[in-house]
Amino acid sequence: MPIKDRKTADSYYEASRNLNIDAAMVDGDLSGDVVVIGGGLTGSSTALNLAKSGVDVILLEAEHFGWGASGRSGGQIINGYAAEQDTLEELVGMETARELWEHSLGAVEYTRQLIFEYNIDCDLKMGYLHVGVKPKQAQELEQWAEHLSRVYGYEDMTFLERDSLRTRLASERYSGGVFDAGSGHLHPLNYCLGVVRAARDAGARLYERSSVDRITSDSRGKIVHCAKGTIRCDQVVYACNAYLDGLEPEIGKKSMPVGTYIVATEPLSESQALSLIPQREAVADTNFVLDYFRLSKDNRMLFGGRVSYSTLQPLKLTESLKKRMKNVFPQLGNTKIEFSWGGYVSITINRAPHIGQLDHGIWYAQGFSGHGMALSGYVGKLLSEAITVDRERIACFEKIPHKRFPGGSWLRTPALVAAMSYYKLKDYL
Ligand SMILES: Cc1cc2nc3c(=O)[nH]c(=O)nc-3n(C[C@H](O)[C@H](O)[C@H](O)COP(=O)(O)OP(=O)(O)OC[C@H]3O[C@@H](n4cnc5c(N)ncnc54)[C@H](O)[C@@H]3O)c2cc1C
């Protein structure tokens, strides 16, 4: 799955999409106030909120809406960030870390609000299990829940010893875990398409199959160039995430695409599905190369894991994910895999999101580091407010320091592969 592979994912989500949004391709010369590049959750929410504020906004997508990570994801909507709160405390200090935590809770809440307000049919289910394989990891999870309660007043988490966890998750693999009532899961593609529809209905102009090649400017403003036309505008938002692919090197240097993969089984019987995860929570372990899984509404096991830091798809992907799934649930030994797909997440060095203003009228959000399902839609709202009200709205995100990945685009991948192999090894120690 090279980054330039523009195929549509052969995913369970594409097979169960409940909405088609057909938009034209940019053909000729257009103009608007703001151009948003990227039709995932970040872009569609930015466009929705700008349109609601009366801004003439154009949303451009290189393929079709929801084609990127937003339509391929594990669908887990989780509060917090890929960078832990204690990492954020060190990076930005306690006061800003508190603001960021509140934003992360706001992100889950905003997801629920969008689903409710725009009547988006996307199988939302609250409830989440963070689980530890090794006893030390279970202990760390307990300390983490205690930290979030003591420092941030977050009371939605309950620590579960091995035996209590076993009543919620029929696997012998885990030593303990934390139940979080404030996180959950949904059908990511149907959610994203629902937000795109809301943006269109609010007045955003949508274009698909309209990849942006470059952006120039002259005395009258900015010009966004696509293969068959241009768009004049005052402001531009980069919402391209892992698929930015050289379009804006300044932000590209601070993020890196990493492949992650999911398989979906054939539908299980209701009783078999509930014998595995009776309360249907989403689950993720705390390994560096983590397993994440959940039941779909039609009782398939959606099991994600494996990563690729080399932008090459791992060999025998389906078999290896099936093996990982059987490690967790030997009960699924004879179950068929019906779908297998992957996509790219955009990671930053510190795993905190990279959000801000590059230059006058140029905004960006990327680097959700595999933790953007709730956050990206919310960040779209904040970006819109930064554009229409004031930049203060994203100030605490702009305080997060981000370094460039070492090496140019050729060197950084092998360096990262070596570094990550070290961390992968640590999962087994
Ligand atoms: C397999 C997988 C599993 C994941 N699981 C989870 C999970 O369980 N929980 C979680 O929180 N997060 C998860 N994530 C991450 C999450 O999906 C992302 O953080 C989030 O969807 C990012 O949304 P986005 O809109 O910023 O980016 P995307 O959804 O990737 O959208 C970017 C869009 O920009 C378009 N684009 C790029 N360049 C151009 C251009 N030049 N011109 C026009 N358009 C362009 C792309 O075609 C793409 O559609 C997962 C990601 C993957 C790939």
Side-chain angles (χ1 to χ4, degrees), residues 191-209:
Y191 169 53
C192 182
L193 293 173
V195 179
V196 176
R197 178 185 61 191
R200 181 195 64 194
D201 293 350
R205 287 186 278 159
L206 312 184
Y207 293 90
E208 291 182 301
R209 291 162 288 122

Side-chain angles (χ1 to χ4, degrees), residues 142-209:
E142 185 174 17
Q143 288 161 359
W144 172 62
E146 195 276 324
H147 182 77
L148 290 179
S149 159
R150 183 172 40 81
V151 180
Y152 296 92
Y154 186 64
E155 302 297 351
D156 276 355
M157 283 180 169
T158 316
F159 178 68
L160 304 170
E161 305 272 4
R162 176 188 278 274
D163 289 348
S164 329
L165 177 62
R166 187 68 182 68
T167 65
R168 302 187 87 119
L169 180 60
S171 174
E172 297 300 332
R173 185 165 157 77
Y174 304 109
S175 302
V178 162
F179 168 71
D180 180 5
S183 296
H185 57 101
L186 45 63
H187 187 304
L189 180 60
N190 287 339
Y191 169 53
C192 182
L193 293 173
V195 179
V196 176
R197 178 185 61 191
R200 181 195 64 194
D201 293 350
R205 287 186 278 159
L206 312 184
Y207 293 90
E208 291 182 301
R209 291 162 288 122

Side-chain angles (χ1 to χ4, degrees), residues 198-227:
R200 181 195 64 194
D201 293 350
R205 287 186 278 159
L206 312 184
Y207 293 90
E208 291 182 301
R209 291 162 288 122
S210 301
S211 181
V212 174
D213 303 330
R214 68 202 157 93
I215 296 166
T216 56
S217 54
D218 65 15
S219 57
R220 287 163 53 210
K222 302 186 189 338
I223 309 161
V224 174
H225 300 258
C226 297

